[in-house]
Amino acid sequence: MLIEFSVNNYKSIKDDLTLSMMDLKNSPKALPSVVLYGANASGKSNVLHALKMMQRIVLNLDRIMLSTDKLPYNPFRLSSQTETAPTSFDVVFEKESKKYKYGFSYNSKEIVSEYLLVYESTRPTTIYEFEKNVFKPNSKIPSLKKIVKPNNFLYLWEADKQNVESAKVVLEWFNALTHISFDDEGGLRGIFSPQWLDFLDEKTQKDMIAAFLQAADTGIKDVLKDVSSLKKQK
């Protein structure tokens, strides 16, 4: 379950931006859903794009294998202060009643910083952290001390190879992550879960989704996608 997602210096997002799922008014519990709303071209979709980009890097969908391979880097380019500065992603989630915090910053050539924390109680346990070319592993995990990696690799990948359980949990969580985003032309796209496909099969549910998209000022008037073809692609 997603608790919080933060991003800095990505596409139209210049400064720190945090999407929190916490119900701060009524209880300290995470909400089952949230709604992003605002004017057209205000950056709503880029929040989802940022989360998808973090997932893309974590799961190594670009197949980074060589030290010369470029990372997918797209900073805020309308400022000289940010156009070459690192992009940062941070996520907090809960899995099997345990909370995890994972994040990193990077540019096209290297991972600049990275960290993984696990909350066994209210205080976090640092599994590892990396910043300013200094790697600080948890002393209780001997295998982490031996990790050496290329500059464009995540320590998460190497920790997974060392069978560090918390690293595997992070990878599993991102692998299971699904969301809907919008392409550059404003069309609906993304990773469709089976539940969404079932909703589109039912006219009442489909009409509710279309009404929501209209109310959110997306420019979409109806959902007419051929659901059967989407199911075949999964």
Side-chain angles (χ1 to χ4, degrees), residues 54-199:
M54 186 179 190
Q55 180 190 44
R56 171 178 165 182
I57 295 174
V58 168
L59 298 181
N60 197 17
L61 299 183
D62 291 278
R63 303 302 182 201
I64 304 297
M65 300 179 67
L66 304 176
S67 62
T68 53
D69 290 340
K70 301 293 185 182
L71 292 161
Y73 173 63
N74 193 354
F76 183 84
R77 300 184 186 278
L78 299 180
S79 169
S80 60
Q81 295 178 335
T82 58
E83 61 182 353
T84 58
T87 292
S88 299
F89 297 132
D90 176 277
V91 68
V92 179
F93 66 91
E94 184 177 285
K95 185 176 176 61
E96 297 180 356
S97 301
K98 190 181 293 186
K99 189 165 70 172
Y100 299 80
K101 181 179 177 67
Y102 175 70
F104 58 89
S105 62
Y106 73 103
N107 55 40
S108 63
K109 297 181 180 179
E110 64 178 342
I111 303 298
V112 178
S113 66
E114 186 182 354
Y115 49 86
L116 173 57
L117 290 75
V118 179
Y119 289 77
E120 302 284 356
S121 60
T122 56
R123 298 184 63 181
T125 297
T126 300
I127 304 303
Y128 66 81
E129 58 183 344
F130 167 72
E131 190 171 10
K132 297 180 180 178
N133 295 320
V134 178
F135 179 56
K136 298 178 180 179
N138 188 313
S139 60
K140 296 181 180 180
I141 310 177
S143 61
L144 286 177
K145 297 179 182 179
K146 302 175 183 178
I147 286 181
V148 178
K149 69 173 188 63
N151 289 339
N152 57 350
F153 279 35
L154 291 172
Y155 277 102
L156 185 72
W157 304 341
E158 303 304 313
D160 174 53
K161 292 178 183 177
Q162 298 288 349
N163 293 316
V164 177
E165 183 60 29
S166 54
K168 293 185 179 297
V169 170
V170 173
L171 289 168
E172 289 170 357
W173 187 82
F174 273 101
N175 192 52
L177 179 66
T178 59
H179 69 275
I180 291 178
S181 59
F182 300 89
D183 62 26
D184 294 334
E185 286 74 40
L188 187 63
R189 67 174 177 83
I191 308 169
F192 282 81
S193 67
Q195 291 84 358
W196 273 97
L197 294 178
D198 290 340
F199 288 158

